[in-house]
Each structure stands twice: as structure tokens, then as C-alpha cells.
Amino acid sequence: MSLHSVRKAFSRLPASVLAHPFVSLGVLTVLRLILAACLPVTPDEAYYWTWSRNLQASYLDHPPMVAWWIWIGTALFGDTGLGVRLTAPLAAAFGTVLTVLACRDFQAVLLRDGPFARVVNPWVVGVLLNATLALAVGATVMTPDTPLLFFMAQFLWAAGRLVRTGDLRWWLLLGVSAGLGFDSKYTMVLPVAGLGLWCLLSSQRLKQLLTPWPWLGAAIGLSLTFPVVWWNATHGWASFIRQGGRTGDWQPSRAPGYLGELLGGQIGLLTPGIFLLSVAAVIAAFRRRTDMDRLLLCLTCVPAAVFVQHALGDRVQANWPVLIYPALMCLIVLQADRRWKVAAGLGYVLWGLLLCQTTTGFLPLNRHFDVALRQGGGWPTFAENVAQQSEGAAFIASDEYALASELAFHLPDRIVLGAEPRWMLFDLPAWSCRTGWGLLIRNGRRSFPQGSPWASLGKPAGMIVRSRGGREAERYNLYRIACPIPAVPAAWLRKLPAASH
């Protein structure tokens, strides 16, 4: 099929249909910005916020991109919910457009190379992507998955441009996207490996490897990852060891449970209808086996295989596979399954229910079933109670990193200490208390870790319940700590940065 035929196929789509998606996406983005400003900052977000107050080349838990993005937002809107999350709705909007452009290129290649029964508006991929709970939630909170999904969309768009135009210079953008994606989350290496496998499966791509462009792209990608590698090399490879230490674990007795959790998590984050469409689209792509199908299958199945292998020995968090969702949505659109409207509609209904529950708590769920309550409920009031209970204390501390971060975010006028070894990897000021007393706070449902020096130093001083609308989100035990504190390594006690409200 000629390029003229491709243009003719797309020209049949009404102009009004192509114009409305931008308006809808704009309205959705404004709504997400409003939610970002109104919803309470979650513990993980507060932890990443502390990263942004102490910018480094990498961190123990993840690469640094999430901290850089939060730094941009807080530089514009201060240490607020909107400041922390500003770039999330914007990245979701631009990432949606990039995924749509990628899907348009994939459709064009299929039309050019062989018979293709139906052409679906490429904006359907944006409708489906935003109907997943992964993006619905991820576009209003700030996590490492937020920049990862954006750079994955950019990676997909560059791949689409490469196969449609044949211009080898697009390898350079593939390298940029891969490098910045790795700086967001280490799992970016999986779709990069999938791209490499696709090249090996095609004689045409193998010929491209004989040109300098793929290798220039690889060099750019590697250079962008250098800060993360350098940080690890100068910090005992702490982050690489933490993230890769469980690779290859094998626990056959627990594997069925882990695999079930992985499957259930994907049904939930994709939403049931889109999950079923994804399975059908993958099967159809295996049957078609075009070059375009092989590309998208490699980008999805290689990461999926790694996550399944990991689930044989350890738990796979439900959000880990979200980086393959843009490619999955493209496969659904290439399948041109008319049931996408029902699946997308169900996704938006579920998102609406989740949004209502998050903002109003209209369903009387307890903390075990209400993630929004457990993660975000009652933090400002809780911080006020902590401030009252610690009146006269020289410091407030926690040996739980997320709790310490929340306290630092909400109590800018108090000295808040992180009191565990991870803070030694931050360039934060050490702190010691010579006289007086301090208040240690920790989750009331957890016991002290084995070997914790705080177990013998703290004297119980009460409990505070964090709640929303009368429903308990979590309870915390208070411990009074007398100064000086000789049994705790001085390097542990780091003064966390304070918010400038």
C-alpha cells in the first residue's frame, strides 16, 4: 500500500473528531491539577520531596528523576501538594499525545506493508491509556513511575518514527529516552532489552546495527545514566544491590501466591475490561507476526517475562509493569477491537468511584480496603497532634523513613530527625541532643526491628490515631527519648529539610 493510500485512510476521519480530543485532554489535565493541589501528600511523596530538598545524582531506593521533577514544581509553587505534583498531570498529558503519535505511526506502517481491515482513530489509545487506574492515579500523585511513563511514551514515539520514516537519526532520541527513563527507574532496561531483541529478529534491523546511528544512540543513553552509576560506585553500589538483590530468588511454595498477586494487580490497574482487551490484542499480534507486531510484543513481553520470573521468588509490586501499558494500548488499537468503548467506559467509572472515595470517603470502608484513607487520610490533623504532644521537646524523630518525611513536610518549624541508616546516604546535617528530651514516633502496628537501639531507649509516652471522618487510618506509638542519646550511631541522626510554607 502506498503512502498516498495511508494519507487517504486517515483523511476519512472527520476533522471534528480529531479536534475534540485535545479539548478533552486539556479539561482532564486541569482536573488533575486541581486534584494535585487539593489531595494530601502521601508518605512516599513526602519522602521523594525530601530528596528534592537535597538533590543528588541518585538515591537508595530509586534514581533521581522524581526528585528533579518535584524540585521544578516546588520552585514554582512552593512546598505544597501542587508544587510536589505539578509535573505529574503535565507529563501525563504530553505522554498521552506522544503515545497517540506513536500509534498513528504504527497504524501507518501496517497499512503500508499489508492488508489491514479497519483503521481506528489513533486517539483511542489516549482514551484507553487514561482509563487505566495506573494513569488515573499516577497523573495526580508523584512517584518514580510518573517520569518513567513519560519517557516510555517518548521511547515508543521514537520507535514509531524510526519504523515509519526509516530515518536512522531517530535512534538518537531512542537513546535519550532510554537514558532518561533509566534515570527515572531501573526497569527501563527491560523495554530497551526488548528493542534489542526486536533488532535481532529482523534482517533489516540487523543491517541498521552496521551503521553508526544505533551505537550513537546507545552512547547517549549510557552517558545519561552515568550520574546514577557514579553515585552507586561512590556509595557501595547501595541502590543497585537493593534493587537487584532479589533477582533469581526461587520459592516454589509461595510462587502461586505471588503470581496471583501479580495477575490481580494488573487486572486492577489496567481495569478488567482493558486487561481482557490487552490479552486478546497480544494473542492477535502473535498470530499476525508483522514487523510492527514483533516490535510491540518485544516491548511488552520481555518486561512481562521478567516480572513473572521475579514473582516465582518474591512479591512484584502492582505498579512495576505499568511501563508496558503504552505499548499494550497500541496493540489494542491495532487490533481495532470495537469493544474498547465498553472497556474504557468501565475504566472511567472505576476512576470516578475511586476519586469520590478519595475526596469524600462516602463508602464506610476500613483501612484495610481503603488505600486512600490509609495513605492520605488525616495527615494535617495528625501533625498538629504531634506538635502538641512534643511541646518542649528538642526534636521529633522517626525510624520509619516515610513517617519522618511526612512530619518534616507538615512541621516546618520543628526539628525533625530521620533516625535510621538510610539517611547516612543523604548529604543532610548530622544532629545530636545534649540535654532535654525528644519524641520518637513509629507505627503502632509494627514492632521495633531486630537490633534497633530505640527499643531499649524509648519510654512509652502515649498514642496518636490518624483518622479521616472518624475512620481510623493508622495509629502511632510515642516514645520519650532522654538526651544525650549514646546508644544510637550519630551518623543515623540526620536533620530532615523543612518545608517553607
Side-chain angles (χ1 to χ4, degrees):
M1 183 174 287
S2 66
L3 289 176
H4 173 72
S5 300
V6 174
R7 287 193 294 268
K8 186 176 179 181
F10 283 101
S11 68
R12 296 194 188 103
L13 297 172
S16 58
V17 174
L18 297 176
H20 290 318
F22 284 105
V23 176
S24 301
L25 184 60
V27 171
L28 185 60
T29 302
V30 171
L31 173 61
R32 286 167 170 168
L33 286 168
I34 294 172
L35 291 172
C38 297
L39 295 176
V41 174
T42 64
D44 280 346
E45 288 179 302
Y47 180 48
Y48 303 138
W49 167 81
T50 64
W51 294 9
S52 73
R53 307 283 289 183
N54 180 243
L55 291 175
Q56 298 181 177
S58 193
Y59 300 89
L60 173 64
D61 305 87
H62 294 290
M65 189 63 71
V66 65
W68 299 345
W69 281 28
I70 291 175
W71 180 86
I72 292 171
T74 54
L76 294 173
F77 290 96
D79 297 316
T80 62
L82 180 59
V84 170
R85 300 173 174 136
L86 174 67
T87 51
L90 301 179
F94 286 110
T96 295
V97 173
L98 289 174
T99 307
V100 170
L101 294 175
C103 186
R104 185 180 65 177
D105 285 336
F106 297 147
Q107 285 182 319
V109 172
L110 285 177
L111 283 166
R112 181 186 67 198
D113 295 345
F116 197 48
R118 293 190 301 273
V119 175
V120 176
N121 189 329
W123 272 101
V124 170
V125 80
V127 174
L128 289 168
L129 189 59
N130 284 275
T132 65
L133 290 186
L135 197 66
V137 174
T140 50
V141 298
M142 179 57 71
T143 71
D145 291 311
T146 305
L148 173 68
L149 271 175
F150 173 79
F151 292 118
M152 185 62 210
Q154 183 175 278
F155 185 84
L156 201 61
W157 176 58
R161 292 275 78 196
L162 175 66
V163 296
R164 182 177 183 181
T165 67
D167 188 341
L168 299 186
R169 289 174 294 183
W170 287 104
W171 278 104
L172 303 183
L173 185 58
L174 282 167
V176 171
S177 305
L180 295 178
F182 181 87
D183 291 339
S184 305
K185 206 169 181 181
Y186 297 134
T187 48
M188 187 66 197
V189 302
L190 301 178
V192 172
L195 183 70
L197 177 61
W198 173 65
C199 290
L200 296 177
L201 294 175
S202 168
S203 59
Q204 181 182 357
R205 309 305 161 193
L206 285 173
K207 291 178 181 178
Q208 291 184 9
L209 298 182
L210 300 178
T211 70
W213 295 106
W215 306 107
L216 286 174
I220 292 172
L222 289 173
S223 66
L224 290 172
T225 67
F226 176 77
V228 176
V229 177
W230 172 83
W231 184 91
N232 272 274
T234 55
H235 290 78
W237 305 103
S239 185
F240 287 168
I241 292 173
R242 178 180 177 83
Q243 297 299 329
R246 295 184 294 260
T247 302
D249 285 354
W250 169 243
Q251 298 187 50
S253 62
R254 305 187 68 177
Y258 291 146
L259 290 170
E261 289 180 13
L262 174 60
L263 178 62
Q266 299 322 294
I267 294 174
L269 287 184
L270 278 168
T271 70
I274 297 177
F275 174 82
L276 291 175
L277 288 184
S278 299
V279 173
V282 169
I283 294 173
F286 270 111
R287 289 174 177 171
R288 285 193 304 264
R289 291 181 292 184
T290 67
D291 187 49
M292 202 74 280
D293 291 316
R294 282 195 292 268
L295 169 60
L296 291 171
L297 287 172
C298 286
L299 294 180
T300 55
C301 293
V302 169
V306 172
F307 294 134
V308 169
Q309 183 277 326
H310 188 89
L312 297 177
D314 202 354
R315 178 169 286 109
V316 174
Q317 299 299 326
N319 63 296
W320 291 3
V322 298
L323 83 166
I324 71 174
Y325 288 6
L328 275 179
M329 300 307 106
C330 289
L331 281 172
I332 293 174
V333 173
L334 296 183
Q335 175 67 4
D337 193 324
R338 291 192 177 96
R339 293 171 293 182
W340 69 266
K341 294 181 181 179
V342 176
L346 175 60
Y348 285 109
V349 168
L350 292 175
W351 179 53
L353 291 174
L354 178 62
L355 178 58
C356 290
Q357 182 65 23
T358 301
T359 54
T360 67
F362 73 101
L363 293 175
L365 303 176
N366 64 30
R367 61 177 301 277
H368 296 289
F369 299 101
D370 193 339
V371 177
L373 170 66
R374 196 165 64 244
Q375 289 290 311
W379 283 112
T381 303
F382 169 76
E384 292 175 6
N385 291 335
V386 170
Q388 294 173 3
Q389 294 280 356
S390 62
E391 191 67 37
F395 66 87
I396 301 169
S398 180
D399 61 342
E400 300 176 16
Y401 69 90
L403 178 56
S405 300
E406 280 280 3
L407 293 170
F409 186 83
H410 288 286
L411 299 174
D413 299 326
R414 304 297 294 272
I415 294 175
V416 178
L417 303 181
E420 60 156 326
R422 77 173 55 234
W423 300 107
M424 296 167 60
L425 299 174
F426 288 74
D427 186 21
L428 296 172
W431 200 86
S432 62
C433 178
R434 298 183 181 277
T435 60
W437 61 282
L439 193 68
L440 177 73
I441 306 173
R442 63 188 334 274
N443 192 305
R445 303 176 194 275
R446 300 173 184 167
S447 57
F448 285 101
Q450 186 175 6
S452 171
W454 295 113
S456 59
L457 290 175
K459 295 183 178 180
M463 174 185 291
I464 297 179
V465 175
R466 176 170 60 86
S467 63
R468 184 191 66 192
R471 289 199 287 274
E472 179 181 320
E474 194 55 87
R475 58 183 62 189
Y476 301 89
N477 290 331
L478 311 181
Y479 299 88
R480 189 178 176 114
I481 306 294
C483 298
I485 318 174
V488 177
W492 284 21
L493 300 175
R494 301 280 173 158
K495 183 178 182 296
L496 300 190
S500 52
H501 292 323

